[in-house]
């Protein structure tokens, strides 16, 4: 299965003409034909003929050192605008919207030679953790199709797990890359806020949103990061912080003597026993790799959900105010109940009389969180936390209880208000063969360290190589 | 503006109706009670944030550390739309204009 090959090897085979891009693409589309009906990961699939035609044009280009991802097929969560290709954010409000411009992340990947083959299912506008809050039907978990794939980047996660493309670009505002990565057994990176341009990313919470890679391995993610990271003049919040060679860092940053902080508040009541056990095992693995593990305390974490769920909806109420159906899209009556709830919570938190008690208080709490993470990361190189409190639930379970739905985000909502990066890695399976993931949280702009740790962990373990059985 | 004591104020149906209007969400009155119940349960959980000591703690609205990010005042033709592109997605147009509902009444 060509698309199961690590990107570093696949791209070399393509550049050396051992494998043709057409073979790779055909492999993907054959699998998509068989598997998409079972998973519902795609909202829009680029026509195979269109892609093959494009490949013919570029064929004479190879080998081309200026195109490090030449011929590599990828997917975009449907929250990234693509000129001429329908983009919906999984909402009927944008059901027939064809953008007149392309997101920077997509442009950079295409300039590097990567081939876009699909726009993927998600929780509409990023509002959800299960890819059930979508107007295009839920995405099924490839490990058990009666269960959710996670969200909001569930479509990309399920598709990469099922080996339908080499990598995907997801989006993480409160766990939306990490949650589905963990529930689908793939690797996903929530980058430092500002590390990757958000130009062309349909905004959920503008001060939380991050654009990041989802792939089979940390090494794959490192290769993608080399292409997508960096300041963009079109995104005023993108960072001028220099972009290291993430690929080189995998070889030069050693896990030896790196301190990993185990945040004890994350391992109490509310965490599934099997997930706890898997992360304990991962902790032992990190120690045998040479890391120093120490227990630390971050009592503020119990306020992570309220900080996220007051500021996030406030920002989304403002961002979604533009959807009036006038210059593009359909009317606001097409928002789902979950999206309407978030808009209402945000509007309320910002309204006169309540602004101080809710929004302003949350922004102050945000400062406290920044200080708490600074303190924790002053003692440690990275923090080890769970990603999800439970294995993937059955489809329908989370949607029936709005509050339970929010509480499922407990481990992934504090990183976005602070801006710190976090790498989600497969670290085990439940007795029902459902994937378990963990996350390594680092200082701002420490993606090179996180990827190096993840890469070393993936040398010592093989959870990430397991694939779901799909006919 | 007098700040209500949100720690003790309970969310009323009128509050929800007010917010529905502010947010320009077309929600029929019959659906408001369900939203009211859900919002009440979510907000009551989120009110836990009141416990945090935040005296003299400044607010953080963005974490980049950047200020005044400017660009040169030059035209970037790569980011200009033709009239056709600008109108391509609108449902109602007339003579090259986007149509909106009237907001002024005739005298």
């Amino acid at each position: 299965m060509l698309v199961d090959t690590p990107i570093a090897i696949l791209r070399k085979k393509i550049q050396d003409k051992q494998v043709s891009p057409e073979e790779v693409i055909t492999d993907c589309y054959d699998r998509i034909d068989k598997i998409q009906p079972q998973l519902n990961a795609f909202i829009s699939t680029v026509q195979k003929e269109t892609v093959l035609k494009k490949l013919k044009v570029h064929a004479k280009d190879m080998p081309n050192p200026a195109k490090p991802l030449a011929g590599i097929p990828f997917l975009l969560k449907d929250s990234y605008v693509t000129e001429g290709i329908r983009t919906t954010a999984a909402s009927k409000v944008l059901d027939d919207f064809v953008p007149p411009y392309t997101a920077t992340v997509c442009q950079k990947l295409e300039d590097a030679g990567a081939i876009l083959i699909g726009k993927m299912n998600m929780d509409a506008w990023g509002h959800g953790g299960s890819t059930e809050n979508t107007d295009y039907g839920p995405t099924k978990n490839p490990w058990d199709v009666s269960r959710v794939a996670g969200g909001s980047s569930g479509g990309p996660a399920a598709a990469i797990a099922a080996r339908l493309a080499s990598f995907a670009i997801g989006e993480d505002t409160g766990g939306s890359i990490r949650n589905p990565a963990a529930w689908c057994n793939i690797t996903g990176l929530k980058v430092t806020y500002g590390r990757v341009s958000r130009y062309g990313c349909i905004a959920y919470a503008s001060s939380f949103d991050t654009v990041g890679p989802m792939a089979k391995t940390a090494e794959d993610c490192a290769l993608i990061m080399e292409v997508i990271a960096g300041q963009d003049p079109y995104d005023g919040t993108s960072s001028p912080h220099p972009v290291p060679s993430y690929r080189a860092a995998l070889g030069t940053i050693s896990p030896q003597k790196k301190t990993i902080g185990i945040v004890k508040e994350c391992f109490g009541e509310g965490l599934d026993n099997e997930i706890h056990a898997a992360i304990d095992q991962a902790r032992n693995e990190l120690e045998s790799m040479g890391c120093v593990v120490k227990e630390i305390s971050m009592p503020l974490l119990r306020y992570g959900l309220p900080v996220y769920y007051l500021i996030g909806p406030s920002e989304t109420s403002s961002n979604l105010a533009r959807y009036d159906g006038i210059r593009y899209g359909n009317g606001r009556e097409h928002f789902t109940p979950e999206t309407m709830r978030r808009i209402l919570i945000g509007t309320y938190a910002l309204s006169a009389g309540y602004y101080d008690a809710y929004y302003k208080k949350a922004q102050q709490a945000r400062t406290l969180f920044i200080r708490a993470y600074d303190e924790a990361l002053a003692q440690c190189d990275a923090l080890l936390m769970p990603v999800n409190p439970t294995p993937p639930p059955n489809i329908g379970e989370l949607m029936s209880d709005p509050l339970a739905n929010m509480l499922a985000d407990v481990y992934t909502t504090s990183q976005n208000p602070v801006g710190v990066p976090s790498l989600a890695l497969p670290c085990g399976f439940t007795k029902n063969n459902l994937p378990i993931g963990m996350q390594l949280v680092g200082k701002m702009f420490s993606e090179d360290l996180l990827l190096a740790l993840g890469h070393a962990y993936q040398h010592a373990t093989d959870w990430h190589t397991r694939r779901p059985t799909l006919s | 503006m007098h700040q209500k004591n949100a720690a003790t104020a309970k969310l009323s149906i009128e509050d929800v109706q007010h917010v529905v209007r502010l947010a320009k969400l077309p929600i029929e009155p019959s659906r408001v009670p369900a939203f009211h119940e859900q919002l009440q349960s979510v907000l009551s959980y989120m009110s836990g944030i009141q416990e945090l000591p935040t005296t003299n703690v400044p607010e953080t609205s963005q974490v980049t550390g950047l200020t005044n990010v400017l660009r040169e005042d030059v035209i970037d033709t790569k980011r200009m739309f033709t009239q056709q592109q600008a109108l391509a997605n609108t449902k109602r147009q007339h003579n090259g204009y986007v149509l909106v509902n009237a907001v002024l009444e005739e005298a």
Side-chain angles (χ1 to χ4, degrees), chain B residues 6-72:
Chain B
T8 53
K10 260 191 78 167
L11 181 74
S12 68
I13 289 247
E14 289 74 34
D15 285 333
V16 178
Q17 282 160 346
H18 173 61
V19 172
V20 165
R21 253 194 320 274
L22 284 181
K24 284 190 151 66
L25 288 173
I27 297 177
E28 309 95 66
S30 61
R31 291 174 66 201
V32 172
F35 276 110
H36 173 237
E37 204 186 297
Q38 291 157 354
L39 258 48
Q40 227 171 15
S41 114
V42 168
L43 281 165
S44 131
Y45 177 84
M46 301 309 162
S47 296
I49 207 170
Q50 303 304 329
E51 296 160 15
L52 284 174
T54 52
T55 318
N56 297 325
V57 176
E59 296 143 66
T60 296
S61 53
Q62 57 102 348
V63 298
T64 64
L66 301 170
T67 55
N68 296 337
V69 177
L70 305 176
R71 66 173 178 86
E72 288 304 310

Side-chain angles (χ1 to χ4, degrees), chain A residues 83 96-101 193 199 207 233-234 236-240 300 302-303 305-307 309-310 315 325-330 332-333 335 337 340-341 343-345 347-348 351-371 402-403 406-407 416-419 444, chain B residues 1-7 9-12 15-16 18-28 31 34-35 38-39 41-64 66 69-71 76 78-79 81 85-92 98-101:
Chain A
E83 184 176 344
D96 53 1
F97 174 61
V98 180
Y101 72 109
Y193 181 80
Y199 181 72
S207 78
Y234 294 170
T237 64
S238 70
S239 175
L300 202 57
R302 53 186 284 250
Y303 298 99
L305 279 170
V307 170
Y309 271 109
L310 286 172
E315 296 193 352
I326 295 176
R327 284 173 301 122
Y328 57 89
N330 301 304
R332 297 169 76 71
E333 67 274 16
F335 284 134
M340 290 200 184
R341 262 192 297 278
I343 293 172
L344 290 172
I345 291 168
T347 308
Y348 182 71
S351 65
Y354 297 100
Y355 176 99
D356 283 3
Y358 288 115
Y359 181 75
K360 179 175 168 179
K361 186 80 180 178
Q363 296 283 49
Q364 288 174 303
R366 187 177 185 176
T367 304
L368 296 178
F369 267 89
I370 291 170
R371 293 177 186 168
L403 186 58
M406 290 184 173
L407 295 178
N416 298 73
V418 173
M444 301 285 272
Chain B
M1 178 76 218
H2 168 246
Q3 282 293 324
K4 298 177 181 131
N5 185 346
K10 260 191 78 167
L11 181 74
S12 68
D15 285 333
V16 178
H18 173 61
V19 172
V20 165
R21 253 194 320 274
L22 284 181
K24 284 190 151 66
L25 288 173
I27 297 177
E28 309 95 66
R31 291 174 66 201
F35 276 110
Q38 291 157 354
L39 258 48
S41 114
V42 168
L43 281 165
S44 131
Y45 177 84
M46 301 309 162
S47 296
I49 207 170
Q50 303 304 329
E51 296 160 15
L52 284 174
T54 52
T55 318
N56 297 325
V57 176
E59 296 143 66
T60 296
S61 53
Q62 57 102 348
V63 298
T64 64
L66 301 170
V69 177
L70 305 176
R71 66 173 178 86
D76 180 352
K78 293 197 301 299
R79 297 181 68 196
F81 291 161
Q85 282 174 310
L87 292 171
N89 282 289
T90 190
K91 303 277 186 318
R92 301 188 297 169
V98 174
L99 286 180
V100 301
N101 290 339

Side-chain angles (χ1 to χ4, degrees), chain A residues 14 67 129 141 147 172 197 220 271 308 331 338 381 464:
Chain A
I14 290 173
K67 292 193 191 255
N141 192 311
R147 296 180 184 268
D172 190 310
S197 171
D220 281 356
L271 179 62
Y308 172 82
E338 175 61 28
D381 292 296
H464 61 287

Side-chain angles (χ1 to χ4, degrees), chain A residues 78-286:
Chain A
D78 207 17
S79 54
Y80 294 100
V81 293
T82 41
E83 184 176 344
I85 303 175
R86 177 174 85 141
T87 302
T88 66
S91 171
K92 286 274 187 261
V93 170
L94 293 180
D95 183 53
D96 53 1
F97 174 61
V98 180
Y101 72 109
T102 294
T104 294
V105 66
C106 180
Q107 193 60 61
K108 283 187 161 185
L109 288 166
E110 295 195 306
D111 288 346
I115 308 292
L116 177 67
I117 64 176
K119 304 299 297 293
M120 310 308 284
N121 204 3
M122 52 185 277
D123 285 292
W125 316 104
H127 297 164
S130 63
T131 309
E132 294 178 284
N133 182 35
T134 158
D135 284 327
Y136 298 88
T139 293
K140 321 287 177 67
N141 192 311
W143 296 85
D144 177 342
V145 298
S146 66
R147 296 180 184 268
V148 301
S152 57
S153 311
I160 298 303
R163 309 316 196 231
L164 304 183
S166 291
F167 70 94
I169 300 299
E171 183 274 320
D172 190 310
T173 300
S176 289
I177 283 179
R178 295 164 283 158
N179 160 326
W183 275 346
C184 288
N185 203 57
I186 64 164
T187 301
L189 177 62
K190 178 230 172 273
V191 300
T192 304
Y193 181 80
R195 178 73 292 182
V196 178
S197 171
R198 290 180 304 111
Y199 181 72
C201 177
I202 295 175
Y204 164 8
S206 308
S207 78
F208 293 172
D209 290 350
T210 60
V211 174
M214 302 173 75
K216 300 184 290 294
T217 65
E219 184 189 28
D220 281 356
C221 289
L223 296 178
I224 300 155
M225 282 295 287
E226 292 199 337
V227 174
I228 65 175
Q231 190 171 36
D232 179 18
Y234 294 170
D235 175 0
T237 64
S238 70
S239 175
H241 193 97
V243 180
S245 167
Y246 294 109
R247 184 88 195 286
L250 302 180
T252 56
I253 299 181
S254 162
Q256 286 295 324
K257 305 265 183 28
K258 297 292 185 286
T259 308
I260 310 290
I262 305 278
V263 183
K264 76 172 213 257
E265 284 81 6
C266 296
F267 293 93
E269 215 185 283
L271 179 62
D272 175 88
N273 290 332
E274 289 185 274
I275 297 181
H276 194 158
I279 299 183
D280 276 345
Q281 195 184 347
R283 165 212 177 123
N284 294 339
E285 194 60 64
L286 290 166

